[in-house]
Amino acid sequence: MLGIVIRREFNTILTSKAMRISTAIVVAVLLLAGVAGRIFLHNDEESTPQAIPIAVTQDASPLTEFLVGQGGIEVVEASGNPETILQDNEEVEAVVSGIPAEPVLSTRGEANAIREKVVLASTLYLVDQQGVLTPELSSQLVRLSFLQVNVISTNAMFENPMGYLAGTIGCALLMVIVLLGISTLSAGVVEEKSSRVVEILLTTVRPRTFLLGKILGIGSAMLIIFAVYLTALLSGLAIAGLLSNLSALGSLGLWVFLPVVLLWIVLGYFTYAALIGGLAATVSRQEDLGAVQTPVVFFQMIPFYAALNLVPLLPDASITRILSYVPFLSPYMMPMRTALDSVALWEQLLAAALTLVCIPLLGILAGRIYERSILRTGERVKITSLFRGSQG
């Protein structure tokens, strides 16, 4: 009977017209996003930096060769007042006037890059006037103008942006699949209870077996939908030309990260589905289902935002490690830690083992709630009354 229930739920999900339409829309959006990314990123790659047009007056003309030698500068000879030159030549960004040893830079706004080039050109001019400017010295001074600045950040979001992006996508996919699965599961439980169909079904199958079949059937369908979403996402990234940037994700690589995400999607779904399956049986109307679903949905925001904010900020802190072992939190935090390359294999195994221990315990609890409330109609059944009744 368990297999029959699983097939029933599996086919119901995948043959649903609404599910097919929504899945097609998501796939189309992901593919169109990839096409748009290809267009914009391709245009960015093709665009070459334009040389900055600078006007140099006759008095400052000895600086011309030193400005042009730096690259990225287009020198235009001009004469007259710098203000007049800028007004008459809209394409000119700045005017260099004055004597070469003490140049005056006039610009349309803030222009630190131009200022640095003018200072370097004046320095090269002065060294050349002293007769000690060699090609080697000139090259060294030019390289100094491109001094590399290393920004040291303790936030993994900035240290590993591609890893953070992959982790965010993984957590988002997990949330979508889990929310879609538990909402479908809870709605089905209430629909069967309100229409009293479940009373007929339970004459041939035990309540706990029936609930387990629903969870497994819906979960299997969610995995198919996840595969479709993932294929569309990877196709969109490939179209946009970004897939190669994610292929070297962390020390494991993208193709090891994806199975990790899949593992935590499965564990996350069963963790929350085992809980919501029993709670949904306590209500008899779809209007009352929100009171059951809302706490579970909002509770998922805690690990989701912890994964997006706490893990990048404190990837190796004790608080991050401890929280990532908690069954309800680990499905979100572990994929992000994996994407940021801040989790060891034994930590993954420990968190997965703790979650696997938790799921049967939640299943037992949900099964008891389900079998003791599924045939009760009317007002919402209180959890405390179910267990008080069992003790009496």
Side-chain angles (χ1 to χ4, degrees), residues 187-254:
V189 169
V190 175
E191 181 181 356
E192 291 167 349
K193 181 178 180 178
S194 60
S195 63
R196 309 189 80 97
V197 173
V198 70
E199 297 179 8
I200 301 175
L201 296 173
L202 292 182
T203 59
T204 57
V205 61
R206 295 175 56 190
R208 295 187 185 185
T209 303
F210 185 67
L211 177 61
L212 178 61
K214 290 181 69 66
I215 293 175
L216 292 175
I218 294 174
S220 301
M222 290 300 107
L223 287 180
I224 300 297
I225 295 173
F226 166 74
V228 174
Y229 286 171
L230 182 61
T231 302
L233 177 61
L234 293 177
S235 300
L237 291 172
I239 293 173
L242 297 176
L243 189 59
S244 59
N245 296 335
L246 292 173
S247 297
L249 181 66
S251 60
L252 298 177
L254 176 64

Short mmCIF file of all heavy atoms in Angstrom, two decimals, residues 187-254:
data_model
loop_
_atom_site.label_atom_id
_atom_site.label_comp_id
_atom_site.label_asym_id
_atom_site.label_seq_id
_atom_site.Cartn_x
_atom_site.Cartn_y
_atom_site.Cartn_z
N ALA A 187 -1.71 21.18 2.14
CA ALA A 187 -2.97 21.42 1.44
C ALA A 187 -3.66 20.10 1.10
O ALA A 187 -4.90 19.98 1.20
CB ALA A 187 -2.72 22.23 0.17
N GLY A 188 -2.89 19.09 0.71
CA GLY A 188 -3.47 17.79 0.39
C GLY A 188 -4.07 17.11 1.61
O GLY A 188 -5.15 16.51 1.54
N VAL A 189 -3.37 17.23 2.75
CA VAL A 189 -3.89 16.63 3.98
C VAL A 189 -5.23 17.25 4.37
O VAL A 189 -6.19 16.55 4.70
CB VAL A 189 -2.86 16.79 5.13
CG1 VAL A 189 -3.48 16.42 6.47
CG2 VAL A 189 -1.63 15.93 4.86
N VAL A 190 -5.30 18.58 4.32
CA VAL A 190 -6.53 19.26 4.71
C VAL A 190 -7.65 19.00 3.71
O VAL A 190 -8.82 18.80 4.10
CB VAL A 190 -6.27 20.78 4.85
CG1 VAL A 190 -7.57 21.52 5.14
CG2 VAL A 190 -5.25 21.04 5.94
N GLU A 191 -7.33 18.95 2.43
CA GLU A 191 -8.34 18.69 1.41
C GLU A 191 -8.95 17.31 1.60
O GLU A 191 -10.18 17.13 1.52
CB GLU A 191 -7.73 18.82 0.02
CG GLU A 191 -8.74 18.58 -1.11
CD GLU A 191 -8.12 18.70 -2.48
OE1 GLU A 191 -6.92 19.03 -2.56
OE2 GLU A 191 -8.82 18.44 -3.47
N GLU A 192 -8.11 16.30 1.85
CA GLU A 192 -8.60 14.94 2.06
C GLU A 192 -9.43 14.84 3.34
O GLU A 192 -10.41 14.11 3.40
CB GLU A 192 -7.42 13.98 2.11
CG GLU A 192 -6.72 13.81 0.77
CD GLU A 192 -5.38 13.12 0.90
OE1 GLU A 192 -4.91 12.95 2.06
OE2 GLU A 192 -4.79 12.77 -0.13
N LYS A 193 -9.03 15.62 4.35
CA LYS A 193 -9.78 15.57 5.60
C LYS A 193 -11.13 16.27 5.48
O LYS A 193 -12.15 15.75 5.94
CB LYS A 193 -8.95 16.24 6.71
CG LYS A 193 -9.63 16.22 8.08
CD LYS A 193 -8.74 16.83 9.14
CE LYS A 193 -9.42 16.82 10.50
NZ LYS A 193 -8.56 17.38 11.57
N SER A 194 -11.14 17.44 4.82
CA SER A 194 -12.39 18.19 4.71
C SER A 194 -13.40 17.49 3.81
O SER A 194 -14.61 17.57 4.03
CB SER A 194 -12.11 19.61 4.18
OG SER A 194 -11.51 19.55 2.90
N SER A 195 -12.92 16.79 2.78
CA SER A 195 -13.82 16.07 1.87
C SER A 195 -14.15 14.68 2.37
O SER A 195 -14.92 13.96 1.72
CB SER A 195 -13.19 15.97 0.48
OG SER A 195 -11.99 15.22 0.53
N ARG A 196 -13.53 14.29 3.50
CA ARG A 196 -13.76 12.99 4.14
C ARG A 196 -13.31 11.82 3.28
O ARG A 196 -13.67 10.66 3.53
CB ARG A 196 -15.23 12.83 4.53
CG ARG A 196 -15.80 14.00 5.32
CD ARG A 196 -17.18 13.68 5.84
NE ARG A 196 -17.08 12.85 7.04
CZ ARG A 196 -17.14 13.35 8.28
NH1 ARG A 196 -17.26 14.67 8.46
NH2 ARG A 196 -17.06 12.55 9.32
N VAL A 197 -12.48 12.11 2.26
CA VAL A 197 -11.92 11.03 1.44
C VAL A 197 -10.97 10.18 2.26
O VAL A 197 -10.87 8.96 2.06
CB VAL A 197 -11.18 11.63 0.22
CG1 VAL A 197 -10.44 10.54 -0.56
CG2 VAL A 197 -12.17 12.33 -0.69
N VAL A 198 -10.30 10.84 3.21
CA VAL A 198 -9.32 10.12 4.01
C VAL A 198 -9.96 9.01 4.84
O VAL A 198 -9.33 8.01 5.16
CB VAL A 198 -8.57 11.12 4.93
CG1 VAL A 198 -9.48 11.65 6.02
CG2 VAL A 198 -7.33 10.48 5.53
N GLU A 199 -11.23 9.19 5.18
CA GLU A 199 -11.91 8.15 5.96
C GLU A 199 -12.01 6.85 5.18
O GLU A 199 -11.90 5.76 5.75
CB GLU A 199 -13.30 8.64 6.37
CG GLU A 199 -13.27 9.87 7.28
CD GLU A 199 -14.66 10.34 7.64
OE1 GLU A 199 -15.62 9.62 7.30
OE2 GLU A 199 -14.79 11.42 8.25
N ILE A 200 -12.20 6.97 3.87
CA ILE A 200 -12.27 5.78 3.02
C ILE A 200 -10.87 5.18 2.84
O ILE A 200 -10.69 3.96 2.90
CB ILE A 200 -12.88 6.14 1.66
CG1 ILE A 200 -14.28 6.72 1.84
CG2 ILE A 200 -12.90 4.93 0.73
CD1 ILE A 200 -14.91 7.22 0.56
N LEU A 201 -9.87 6.07 2.63
CA LEU A 201 -8.51 5.60 2.39
C LEU A 201 -7.95 4.88 3.61
O LEU A 201 -7.22 3.88 3.47
CB LEU A 201 -7.61 6.78 2.01
CG LEU A 201 -7.96 7.49 0.69
CD1 LEU A 201 -7.11 8.73 0.51
CD2 LEU A 201 -7.77 6.55 -0.49
N LEU A 202 -8.28 5.37 4.79
CA LEU A 202 -7.73 4.78 6.00
C LEU A 202 -8.35 3.44 6.36
O LEU A 202 -7.92 2.80 7.32
CB LEU A 202 -7.88 5.76 7.18
CG LEU A 202 -7.04 7.04 7.08
CD1 LEU A 202 -7.22 7.90 8.32
CD2 LEU A 202 -5.57 6.71 6.89
N THR A 203 -9.34 3.01 5.59
CA THR A 203 -9.89 1.67 5.83
C THR A 203 -8.99 0.58 5.24
O THR A 203 -9.15 -0.60 5.57
CB THR A 203 -11.29 1.56 5.20
OG1 THR A 203 -11.19 1.81 3.80
CG2 THR A 203 -12.25 2.54 5.85
N THR A 204 -8.07 1.01 4.36
CA THR A 204 -7.18 0.03 3.71
C THR A 204 -5.71 0.26 4.05
O THR A 204 -4.87 -0.56 3.66
CB THR A 204 -7.36 0.09 2.18
OG1 THR A 204 -7.10 1.44 1.73
CG2 THR A 204 -8.77 -0.31 1.78
N VAL A 205 -5.37 1.36 4.68
CA VAL A 205 -3.98 1.65 4.99
C VAL A 205 -3.90 2.33 6.34
O VAL A 205 -4.81 3.08 6.73
CB VAL A 205 -3.34 2.54 3.89
CG1 VAL A 205 -4.07 3.87 3.78
CG2 VAL A 205 -1.86 2.77 4.15
N ARG A 206 -2.83 2.07 7.09
CA ARG A 206 -2.65 2.69 8.39
C ARG A 206 -2.37 4.18 8.24
O ARG A 206 -1.74 4.60 7.24
CB ARG A 206 -1.50 2.01 9.14
CG ARG A 206 -1.75 0.55 9.48
CD ARG A 206 -0.50 -0.05 10.11
NE ARG A 206 -0.09 0.72 11.30
CZ ARG A 206 1.06 0.55 11.93
NH1 ARG A 206 1.93 -0.35 11.46
NH2 ARG A 206 1.35 1.26 12.99
N PRO A 207 -2.81 5.01 9.19
CA PRO A 207 -2.59 6.46 9.07
C PRO A 207 -1.12 6.85 8.91
O PRO A 207 -0.79 7.69 8.07
CB PRO A 207 -3.16 7.01 10.38
CG PRO A 207 -4.17 6.01 10.80
CD PRO A 207 -3.64 4.68 10.36
N ARG A 208 -0.23 6.24 9.69
CA ARG A 208 1.19 6.60 9.60
C ARG A 208 1.76 6.19 8.24
O ARG A 208 2.57 6.90 7.66
CB ARG A 208 1.96 5.94 10.72
CG ARG A 208 1.57 6.43 12.12
CD ARG A 208 2.50 5.85 13.17
NE ARG A 208 2.05 6.24 14.51
CZ ARG A 208 2.72 5.96 15.63
NH1 ARG A 208 3.86 5.29 15.57
NH2 ARG A 208 2.24 6.33 16.80
N THR A 209 1.35 5.04 7.74
CA THR A 209 1.81 4.59 6.43
C THR A 209 1.31 5.53 5.34
O THR A 209 2.05 5.86 4.39
CB THR A 209 1.33 3.16 6.14
OG1 THR A 209 1.78 2.30 7.19
CG2 THR A 209 1.84 2.66 4.82
N PHE A 210 0.06 5.97 5.47
CA PHE A 210 -0.51 6.89 4.50
C PHE A 210 0.24 8.21 4.50
O PHE A 210 0.57 8.77 3.43
CB PHE A 210 -1.99 7.10 4.80
CG PHE A 210 -2.70 7.95 3.79
CD1 PHE A 210 -2.90 7.49 2.50
CD2 PHE A 210 -3.17 9.21 4.12
CE1 PHE A 210 -3.56 8.26 1.55
CE2 PHE A 210 -3.82 9.99 3.18
CZ PHE A 210 -4.02 9.52 1.90
N LEU A 211 0.54 8.74 5.67
CA LEU A 211 1.28 10.00 5.77
C LEU A 211 2.68 9.85 5.20
O LEU A 211 3.16 10.72 4.47
CB LEU A 211 1.34 10.47 7.22
CG LEU A 211 2.15 11.75 7.48
CD1 LEU A 211 1.56 12.92 6.71
CD2 LEU A 211 2.19 12.06 8.98
N LEU A 212 3.35 8.74 5.52
CA LEU A 212 4.69 8.50 4.98
C LEU A 212 4.67 8.42 3.47
O LEU A 212 5.56 8.96 2.78
CB LEU A 212 5.25 7.20 5.57
CG LEU A 212 6.63 6.77 5.07
CD1 LEU A 212 7.68 7.83 5.39
CD2 LEU A 212 7.03 5.41 5.66
N GLY A 213 3.65 7.76 2.91
CA GLY A 213 3.53 7.68 1.46
C GLY A 213 3.35 9.04 0.82
O GLY A 213 3.92 9.32 -0.25
N LYS A 214 2.55 9.89 1.46
CA LYS A 214 2.36 11.25 0.93
C LYS A 214 3.68 12.02 0.95
O LYS A 214 4.02 12.72 -0.01
CB LYS A 214 1.30 11.99 1.75
CG LYS A 214 -0.12 11.47 1.58
CD LYS A 214 -1.11 12.26 2.39
CE LYS A 214 -1.28 13.67 1.86
NZ LYS A 214 -1.89 13.71 0.53
N ILE A 215 4.42 11.92 2.05
CA ILE A 215 5.68 12.64 2.16
C ILE A 215 6.68 12.16 1.11
O ILE A 215 7.33 12.95 0.43
CB ILE A 215 6.27 12.48 3.58
CG1 ILE A 215 5.39 13.19 4.60
CG2 ILE A 215 7.69 13.02 3.64
CD1 ILE A 215 5.81 12.98 6.04
N LEU A 216 6.79 10.83 0.94
CA LEU A 216 7.73 10.28 -0.03
C LEU A 216 7.31 10.59 -1.47
O LEU A 216 8.15 10.92 -2.32
CB LEU A 216 7.85 8.77 0.16
CG LEU A 216 8.53 8.30 1.46
CD1 LEU A 216 8.46 6.79 1.58
CD2 LEU A 216 9.97 8.78 1.52
N GLY A 217 6.02 10.50 -1.75
CA GLY A 217 5.55 10.77 -3.11
C GLY A 217 5.75 12.21 -3.51
O GLY A 217 6.24 12.51 -4.61
N ILE A 218 5.36 13.12 -2.63
CA ILE A 218 5.54 14.55 -2.93
C ILE A 218 7.02 14.89 -2.98
O ILE A 218 7.46 15.67 -3.84
CB ILE A 218 4.81 15.40 -1.87
CG1 ILE A 218 3.30 15.18 -1.99
CG2 ILE A 218 5.15 16.87 -2.02
CD1 ILE A 218 2.49 15.86 -0.90
N GLY A 219 7.82 14.31 -2.08
CA GLY A 219 9.25 14.56 -2.10
C GLY A 219 9.90 14.09 -3.39
O GLY A 219 10.77 14.78 -3.94
N SER A 220 9.49 12.94 -3.90
CA SER A 220 10.03 12.45 -5.17
C SER A 220 9.69 13.39 -6.32
O SER A 220 10.53 13.68 -7.18
CB SER A 220 9.48 11.05 -5.46
OG SER A 220 9.81 10.15 -4.42
N ALA A 221 8.46 13.90 -6.32
CA ALA A 221 8.07 14.85 -7.36
C ALA A 221 8.86 16.15 -7.24
O ALA A 221 9.25 16.76 -8.25
CB ALA A 221 6.57 15.13 -7.25
N MET A 222 9.12 16.58 -5.99
CA MET A 222 9.91 17.80 -5.78
C MET A 222 11.33 17.65 -6.30
O MET A 222 11.93 18.60 -6.81
CB MET A 222 9.93 18.17 -4.30
CG MET A 222 8.61 18.65 -3.73
SD MET A 222 7.98 20.13 -4.55
CE MET A 222 6.61 19.43 -5.50
N LEU A 223 11.88 16.43 -6.20
CA LEU A 223 13.23 16.20 -6.73
C LEU A 223 13.24 16.32 -8.25
O LEU A 223 14.21 16.83 -8.83
CB LEU A 223 13.72 14.81 -6.32
CG LEU A 223 14.12 14.63 -4.85
CD1 LEU A 223 14.59 13.21 -4.60
CD2 LEU A 223 15.23 15.63 -4.47
N ILE A 224 12.18 15.85 -8.91
CA ILE A 224 12.09 16.01 -10.37
C ILE A 224 12.03 17.49 -10.72
O ILE A 224 12.72 17.96 -11.65
CB ILE A 224 10.86 15.27 -10.92
CG1 ILE A 224 10.94 13.77 -10.62
CG2 ILE A 224 10.72 15.51 -12.42
CD1 ILE A 224 12.11 13.08 -11.26
N ILE A 225 11.22 18.23 -10.00
CA ILE A 225 11.10 19.67 -10.25
C ILE A 225 12.43 20.37 -9.98
O ILE A 225 12.85 21.26 -10.73
CB ILE A 225 9.97 20.26 -9.38
CG1 ILE A 225 8.63 19.67 -9.82
CG2 ILE A 225 9.94 21.78 -9.49
CD1 ILE A 225 7.47 20.05 -8.92
N PHE A 226 13.13 19.96 -8.90
CA PHE A 226 14.44 20.53 -8.61
C PHE A 226 15.41 20.27 -9.76
O PHE A 226 16.19 21.15 -10.14
CB PHE A 226 14.98 19.93 -7.31
CG PHE A 226 16.45 20.19 -7.10
CD1 PHE A 226 16.90 21.44 -6.73
CD2 PHE A 226 17.37 19.16 -7.28
CE1 PHE A 226 18.26 21.67 -6.55
CE2 PHE A 226 18.72 19.39 -7.10
CZ PHE A 226 19.17 20.65 -6.73
N ALA A 227 15.38 19.05 -10.30
CA ALA A 227 16.26 18.72 -11.42
C ALA A 227 15.98 19.61 -12.63
O ALA A 227 16.91 20.06 -13.32
CB ALA A 227 16.11 17.24 -11.79
N VAL A 228 14.70 19.88 -12.87
CA VAL A 228 14.33 20.77 -13.99
C VAL A 228 14.83 22.18 -13.73
O VAL A 228 15.42 22.83 -14.61
CB VAL A 228 12.80 20.75 -14.19
CG1 VAL A 228 12.39 21.79 -15.23
CG2 VAL A 228 12.33 19.36 -14.61
N TYR A 229 14.60 22.69 -12.50
CA TYR A 229 15.07 24.03 -12.16
C TYR A 229 16.59 24.12 -12.29
O TYR A 229 17.13 25.10 -12.83
CB TYR A 229 14.68 24.38 -10.72
CG TYR A 229 13.21 24.71 -10.52
CD1 TYR A 229 12.68 24.86 -9.25
CD2 TYR A 229 12.36 24.85 -11.60
CE1 TYR A 229 11.34 25.17 -9.05
CE2 TYR A 229 11.02 25.14 -11.43
CZ TYR A 229 10.51 25.30 -10.15
OH TYR A 229 9.19 25.60 -9.95
N LEU A 230 17.29 23.11 -11.77
CA LEU A 230 18.75 23.13 -11.79
C LEU A 230 19.28 23.09 -13.22
O LEU A 230 20.23 23.80 -13.57
CB LEU A 230 19.30 21.95 -11.00
CG LEU A 230 20.82 21.86 -10.88
CD1 LEU A 230 21.37 23.09 -10.18
CD2 LEU A 230 21.23 20.60 -10.14
N THR A 231 18.66 22.25 -14.06
CA THR A 231 19.08 22.19 -15.46
C THR A 231 18.88 23.53 -16.15
O THR A 231 19.75 23.99 -16.91
CB THR A 231 18.29 21.09 -16.19
OG1 THR A 231 18.49 19.83 -15.54
CG2 THR A 231 18.72 20.99 -17.65
N ALA A 232 17.73 24.17 -15.89
CA ALA A 232 17.47 25.48 -16.49
C ALA A 232 18.45 26.52 -15.97
O ALA A 232 18.94 27.37 -16.73
CB ALA A 232 16.04 25.91 -16.20
N LEU A 233 18.77 26.45 -14.67
CA LEU A 233 19.71 27.41 -14.09
C LEU A 233 21.10 27.24 -14.68
O LEU A 233 21.75 28.23 -15.07
CB LEU A 233 19.76 27.22 -12.57
CG LEU A 233 20.76 28.10 -11.80
CD1 LEU A 233 20.43 29.57 -11.98
CD2 LEU A 233 20.77 27.72 -10.33
N LEU A 234 21.58 26.01 -14.76
CA LEU A 234 22.90 25.78 -15.34
C LEU A 234 22.93 26.15 -16.82
O LEU A 234 23.94 26.68 -17.31
CB LEU A 234 23.29 24.31 -15.17
CG LEU A 234 23.53 23.85 -13.72
CD1 LEU A 234 23.84 22.36 -13.68
CD2 LEU A 234 24.65 24.64 -13.06
N SER A 235 21.83 25.90 -17.52
CA SER A 235 21.75 26.29 -18.93
C SER A 235 21.81 27.81 -19.07
O SER A 235 22.49 28.34 -19.96
CB SER A 235 20.47 25.75 -19.56
OG SER A 235 20.42 24.34 -19.49
N GLY A 236 21.09 28.51 -18.18
CA GLY A 236 21.13 29.97 -18.21
C GLY A 236 22.52 30.50 -17.92
O GLY A 236 22.99 31.45 -18.59
N LEU A 237 23.21 29.90 -16.94
CA LEU A 237 24.58 30.32 -16.64
C LEU A 237 25.51 30.04 -17.81
O LEU A 237 26.42 30.84 -18.10
CB LEU A 237 25.08 29.61 -15.38
CG LEU A 237 24.42 30.03 -14.06
CD1 LEU A 237 24.88 29.11 -12.93
CD2 LEU A 237 24.74 31.48 -13.72
N ALA A 238 25.30 28.89 -18.46
CA ALA A 238 26.14 28.56 -19.62
C ALA A 238 25.89 29.54 -20.77
O ALA A 238 26.84 29.97 -21.44
CB ALA A 238 25.86 27.13 -20.07
N ILE A 239 24.63 29.88 -21.00
CA ILE A 239 24.31 30.84 -22.05
C ILE A 239 24.95 32.20 -21.76
O ILE A 239 25.48 32.86 -22.64
CB ILE A 239 22.79 30.98 -22.20
CG1 ILE A 239 22.18 29.68 -22.72
CG2 ILE A 239 22.43 32.13 -23.14
CD1 ILE A 239 20.66 29.66 -22.73
N ALA A 240 24.91 32.59 -20.48
CA ALA A 240 25.49 33.88 -20.09
C ALA A 240 27.00 33.86 -20.05
O ALA A 240 27.64 34.90 -19.92
CB ALA A 240 24.94 34.31 -18.73
N GLY A 241 27.59 32.66 -20.14
CA GLY A 241 29.05 32.55 -20.09
C GLY A 241 29.62 32.58 -18.70
O GLY A 241 30.82 32.85 -18.52
N LEU A 242 28.79 32.30 -17.68
CA LEU A 242 29.23 32.36 -16.28
C LEU A 242 29.50 30.99 -15.68
O LEU A 242 30.02 30.90 -14.57
CB LEU A 242 28.18 33.09 -15.43
CG LEU A 242 27.92 34.55 -15.76
CD1 LEU A 242 26.79 35.08 -14.90
CD2 LEU A 242 29.17 35.38 -15.56
N LEU A 243 29.15 29.93 -16.39
CA LEU A 243 29.30 28.60 -15.82
C LEU A 243 30.76 28.27 -15.55
O LEU A 243 31.09 27.61 -14.56
CB LEU A 243 28.69 27.55 -16.75
CG LEU A 243 28.57 26.13 -16.19
CD1 LEU A 243 27.72 26.13 -14.93
CD2 LEU A 243 27.99 25.19 -17.23
N SER A 244 31.66 28.74 -16.42
CA SER A 244 33.09 28.47 -16.22
C SER A 244 33.61 29.15 -14.97
O SER A 244 34.55 28.67 -14.33
CB SER A 244 33.89 28.94 -17.44
OG SER A 244 33.68 30.32 -17.67
N ASN A 245 33.01 30.30 -14.58
CA ASN A 245 33.45 30.99 -13.37
C ASN A 245 33.08 30.21 -12.12
O ASN A 245 33.73 30.35 -11.08
CB ASN A 245 32.82 32.38 -13.30
CG ASN A 245 33.28 33.29 -14.43
OD1 ASN A 245 34.35 33.09 -14.98
ND2 ASN A 245 32.47 34.26 -14.78
N LEU A 246 32.02 29.40 -12.19
CA LEU A 246 31.58 28.62 -11.03
C LEU A 246 32.19 27.23 -11.00
O LEU A 246 32.10 26.54 -9.99
CB LEU A 246 30.05 28.49 -11.03
CG LEU A 246 29.26 29.78 -10.78
CD1 LEU A 246 27.78 29.51 -10.98
CD2 LEU A 246 29.51 30.32 -9.38
N SER A 247 32.82 26.82 -12.09
CA SER A 247 33.34 25.45 -12.17
C SER A 247 34.46 25.21 -11.17
O SER A 247 34.67 24.09 -10.71
CB SER A 247 33.84 25.16 -13.59
OG SER A 247 32.76 25.23 -14.50
N ALA A 248 35.20 26.26 -10.82
CA ALA A 248 36.30 26.12 -9.87
C ALA A 248 35.89 26.56 -8.48
O ALA A 248 36.68 27.09 -7.72
CB ALA A 248 37.50 26.93 -10.35
N LEU A 249 34.62 26.33 -8.15
CA LEU A 249 34.08 26.78 -6.87
C LEU A 249 34.76 26.07 -5.71
O LEU A 249 34.62 24.87 -5.54
CB LEU A 249 32.58 26.50 -6.84
CG LEU A 249 31.82 26.92 -5.59
CD1 LEU A 249 31.82 28.42 -5.44
CD2 LEU A 249 30.39 26.40 -5.65
N GLY A 250 35.49 26.83 -4.90
CA GLY A 250 36.14 26.28 -3.72
C GLY A 250 37.12 25.16 -4.08
O GLY A 250 37.56 25.02 -5.23
N SER A 251 37.50 24.37 -3.10
CA SER A 251 38.44 23.27 -3.33
C SER A 251 37.73 22.04 -3.88
O SER A 251 38.38 21.15 -4.43
CB SER A 251 39.16 22.92 -2.03
OG SER A 251 38.22 22.52 -1.03
N LEU A 252 36.40 21.98 -3.74
CA LEU A 252 35.65 20.81 -4.19
C LEU A 252 35.24 20.93 -5.64
O LEU A 252 35.22 19.96 -6.37
CB LEU A 252 34.41 20.62 -3.31
CG LEU A 252 34.66 20.34 -1.83
CD1 LEU A 252 33.33 20.23 -1.10
CD2 LEU A 252 35.46 19.07 -1.65
N GLY A 253 34.89 22.13 -6.08
CA GLY A 253 34.41 22.32 -7.43
C GLY A 253 32.89 22.30 -7.48
O GLY A 253 32.22 21.79 -6.59
N LEU A 254 32.36 22.83 -8.57
CA LEU A 254 30.91 22.95 -8.72
C LEU A 254 30.23 21.60 -8.73
O LEU A 254 29.17 21.43 -8.14
CB LEU A 254 30.60 23.72 -10.01
CG LEU A 254 29.12 23.86 -10.37
CD1 LEU A 254 28.39 24.68 -9.33
CD2 LEU A 254 28.96 24.47 -11.75
#
